[in-house]
Amino acid sequence: MKTTAAVLWDVGKPWAIEEVELDEPRDGEVLIRFVAAGLCHSDEHLRHGDLVPRFPIVGGHEGAGIIEAVGPGVTRVKPGDHVVCSFIPSCGHCRWCSTGQQNLCDMGATILEGSMPDGTFRFHARGQDLGAMCMLGTFARYSVIPQNSCVVIDPDIPLEVAVLVGCGVPTGWGSAVYAARVAPGDTVVIYGIGGIGINAVQGAAHAGARHVIAVDPLANKREKAEELGATHSVATAEEAREIAMRLTRGVGADKAIVTVDIVNEEVVQAAFDVIRKGGTMVLTGLADPAKKTVHLSGAVMTLYQKEVRGTLFGHSNPMYDIRKLLDLYRDGQLKLDELVTRRYRLEEINQGYEDLLAGKNVRGVIIHEH
Ligand SMILES: [Zn+2]
Ligand SMILES: [Zn+2]
């Protein structure tokens, strides 16, 4: 069949909206009609060369939609199911899946390559094979994806909202709750309030933190942070340090979480310095993988017993956490509607990312037209 998609042909090129050819689902794959797609910074990282995929690639790894058809051997979903896509598939039986670390599933190996695990592609255009970001390509109206990327959700939850729990929300919430292990009474500093950081704020507040200090240079982000659970918000890391030291009588924050759009040495140093003896710093944001962004004193790490942890998907297990977060949303304990700054048509995707880069959006969402 034919469908419309936003394609990146090379680094630095704008998103190109074009008609692409889509193959039938093969063994273990499904045809999905996407209803909504989130504008996450990671797709734009591909365009800027901060992450280098195989080009050309159909973008989009936050998606929610309805299963239209299933290929042979599909048992996990059926036509009509409402689904949130997990940007990391989970096979269910690799070493990582079978030990409660679905976020590290071996099937994640090809998510930047954009091919299916066997190296073949389902999108084609201009005589070439097109990858699909994270094997999803949610910036297409229809896609063929592995059943292992599908999390079935209750049909009463609007897909336009549920789309957010495919990446940004669990990554941020889990960075606080699971990776940083925020505990009741903790003082937590969160650097960078975008689509991830705002959910680290929600997670930290939810986990019972006494002080949640949100750091962002933009006033609209600080306001949003205070609306969703931050007790303090400041423009600079220096101010955050002063407040954290004052609130803890010079001891330092218990946890620091780095969710800035592009990680650099300065923010890593600031987060490392703000935590107390035995404190934990969590690194969630991305940077060019070839760049060394963590340069810290090993002696301070040892003598102050500080812990530095990387986290992917906030240590969340997609099959469990995506549904759990939607339950919390239904109960009013997790805010999702408030995260969406603006909705766009697929054709407006370049505008959407311009707005993201200009700091206007906490989260922009594409609503697919069918
Ligand atoms: Zn993402
Ligand atoms: Zn697995």
Side-chain angles (χ1 to χ4, degrees), residues 173 206 323-334:
W173 195 89
H206 205 157
R323 279 192 279 256
K324 179 175 78 177
L325 290 168
L326 290 175
D327 285 342
L328 292 173
Y329 164 72
R330 193 191 271 117
D331 296 345
Q333 297 191 54
L334 179 75

Side-chain angles (χ1 to χ4, degrees), residues 39-84:
L39 293 174
C40 181
H41 203 135
S42 303
D43 302 285
E44 188 71 356
H45 277 311
L46 305 181
R47 199 169 81 75
H48 293 273
D50 301 319
L51 287 174
V52 182
R54 169 198 171 279
F55 290 107
I57 189 164
V58 174
H61 65 281
E62 275 189 8
I66 299 170
I67 302 296
E68 292 280 308
V70 302
V74 169
T75 55
R76 283 162 71 156
V77 293
K78 59 183 188 308
D81 279 351
H82 286 216
V83 158
V84 169

Side-chain angles (χ1 to χ4, degrees), residues 90-94 97 105-106:
S90 70
C91 73
H93 44 70
C94 71
C97 284
C105 177
D106 283 337

Side-chain angles (χ1 to χ4, degrees), residues 9-327:
W9 288 88
D10 208 346
V11 174
K13 296 273 170 61
W15 293 95
I17 306 297
E18 54 191 275
E19 197 177 72
V20 297
E21 185 64 37
L22 179 62
D23 295 342
E24 299 271 300
R26 297 190 194 171
D27 206 38
E29 299 171 0
V30 301
L31 172 67
I32 185 168
R33 172 165 60 89
F34 285 126
V35 170
L39 293 174
C40 181
H41 203 135
S42 303
D43 302 285
E44 188 71 356
H45 277 311
L46 305 181
R47 199 169 81 75
H48 293 273
D50 301 319
L51 287 174
V52 182
R54 169 198 171 279
F55 290 107
I57 189 164
V58 174
H61 65 281
E62 275 189 8
I66 299 170
I67 302 296
E68 292 280 308
V70 302
V74 169
T75 55
R76 283 162 71 156
V77 293
K78 59 183 188 308
D81 279 351
H82 286 216
V83 158
V84 169
C85 296
S86 170
F87 80 89
I88 302 164
S90 70
C91 73
H93 44 70
C94 71
R95 171 178 174 175
W96 320 106
C97 284
S98 59
T99 53
Q101 303 169 89
Q102 285 179 347
N103 60 321
L104 301 179
C105 177
D106 283 337
M107 270 191 81
T110 52
I111 62 178
L112 273 185
E113 184 72 12
S115 69
M116 291 298 180
D118 66 0
T120 61
F121 297 87
R122 301 296 168 269
F123 286 119
H124 314 278
R126 305 191 204 173
Q128 292 187 51
D129 291 330
L130 272 55
M133 176 66 160
C134 299
M135 289 185 264
L136 298 174
T138 64
F139 299 162
R141 293 196 172 118
Y142 289 86
S143 186
V144 167
I145 67 175
Q147 64 168 338
N148 293 346
S149 303
C150 298
V151 180
V152 178
I153 64 163
D154 293 335
D156 65 307
I157 297 193
L159 290 164
E160 293 83 352
V161 176
V163 63
L164 300 170
V165 299
C167 171
V169 174
T171 298
W173 195 89
S175 291
V177 175
Y178 298 137
R181 309 180 201 95
V182 172
D186 274 358
T187 295
V188 184
V189 183
I190 297 161
Y191 299 86
I193 306 301
I196 309 278
I198 191 68
N199 294 298
V201 168
Q202 293 208 78
H206 205 157
R210 179 176 171 218
H211 306 297
V212 179
I213 304 166
V215 189
D216 199 287
L218 297 170
N220 60 328
K221 304 290 185 69
R222 295 197 297 272
E223 272 165 38
K224 187 56 83 174
E226 295 208 5
E227 181 191 327
L228 296 187
T231 55
H232 302 74
S233 70
V234 292
T236 66
E238 188 47 43
E239 291 169 89
R241 183 184 159 77
E242 280 165 26
I243 292 178
M245 290 303 162
R246 179 162 51 77
L247 293 171
T248 60
R249 301 179 194 190
V251 171
D254 300 285
K255 313 284 159 60
I257 304 170
V258 178
T259 49
V260 294
D261 48 3
I262 299 173
V263 173
N264 60 34
E265 281 186 58
E266 286 72 35
V267 69
V268 169
Q269 187 69 54
F272 186 71
D273 289 343
V274 86
I275 54 173
R276 62 167 167 77
K277 288 187 282 190
T280 301
M281 168 191 152
V282 168
L283 199 50
T284 310
L286 293 174
D288 178 347
K291 274 196 196 122
K292 294 191 174 168
T293 48
V294 182
H295 285 104
L296 298 168
S297 160
V300 171
M301 196 184 292
T302 298
L303 296 170
Y304 288 77
Q305 210 172 291
K306 294 191 180 192
E307 182 188 21
V308 176
R309 305 189 91 189
T311 187
L312 176 65
F313 202 54
H315 278 57
S316 299
N317 283 283
M319 293 298 153
Y320 169 64
D321 284 290
I322 284 175
R323 279 192 279 256
K324 179 175 78 177
L325 290 168
L326 290 175
D327 285 342

